[in-house]
Amino acid sequence: MSVEKMSKDEEGLQRTLGLKKMIDRWQILHTRCLWQMMLNQRRNLYAILRMQHTMKQEVALANKQLLLVRQAALHQLFEKENRQYQKELHQMGKAFYVERL
């Protein structure tokens, strides 16, 4: 074998070894990526469950707040109607009986 052929073979061998190392690194990274995706899917499941639980709590609190707001609005409406009835009765010369303690 000539020196040129040996040097070309060595270069080819070096290239082949470099490609093999690159393929090995790619396979390791691919395995890690698959493992990470599997972990993320598990975490995502728990994250989704936590988010659903949080949303249920928020909806329950929003319903309570809505109930309080509606009760306050109804109370104001009753007070307004009561004042209006008192005004109308006063114009007719009548009044509500109010018990004083």
Side-chain angles (χ1 to χ4, degrees):
M1 256 193 215
S2 69
V3 176
E4 287 181 17
K5 186 159 172 100
M6 286 177 60
S7 64
K8 284 184 181 180
D9 287 343
E10 285 181 14
E11 287 176 11
L13 181 64
Q14 291 298 326
R15 240 185 282 135
T16 305
L17 288 175
L19 289 174
K20 184 176 180 342
K21 285 181 184 179
M22 187 173 68
I23 289 171
D24 290 341
R25 278 184 267 147
W26 181 85
Q27 285 177 337
I28 291 169
L29 287 174
H30 181 69
T31 304
R32 284 183 185 168
C33 183
L34 289 175
W35 181 68
Q36 191 67 32
M37 284 173 41
M38 189 176 72
L39 285 178
N40 282 339
Q41 287 174 352
R42 284 188 193 159
R43 283 189 210 131
N44 286 342
L45 175 65
Y46 292 118
I48 289 169
L49 291 174
R50 276 194 312 273
M51 195 171 13
Q52 286 176 345
H53 179 70
T54 303
M55 286 182 354
K56 285 179 185 177
Q57 287 178 335
E58 287 178 359
V59 167
L61 290 174
N63 285 338
K64 285 181 183 179
Q65 289 296 322
L66 180 61
L67 180 65
L68 291 174
V69 168
R70 291 180 68 193
Q71 285 176 343
L74 188 60
H75 183 70
Q76 286 179 350
L77 179 65
F78 285 150
E79 284 183 0
K80 181 181 173 184
E81 286 181 353
N82 188 13
R83 285 192 302 267
Q84 183 180 351
Y85 291 146
Q86 284 181 357
K87 183 179 175 184
E88 290 174 5
L89 287 173
H90 182 68
Q91 288 174 352
M92 294 188 322
K94 299 179 180 180
F96 278 120
Y97 172 75
V98 178
E99 183 178 346
R100 297 186 185 195
L101 298 176

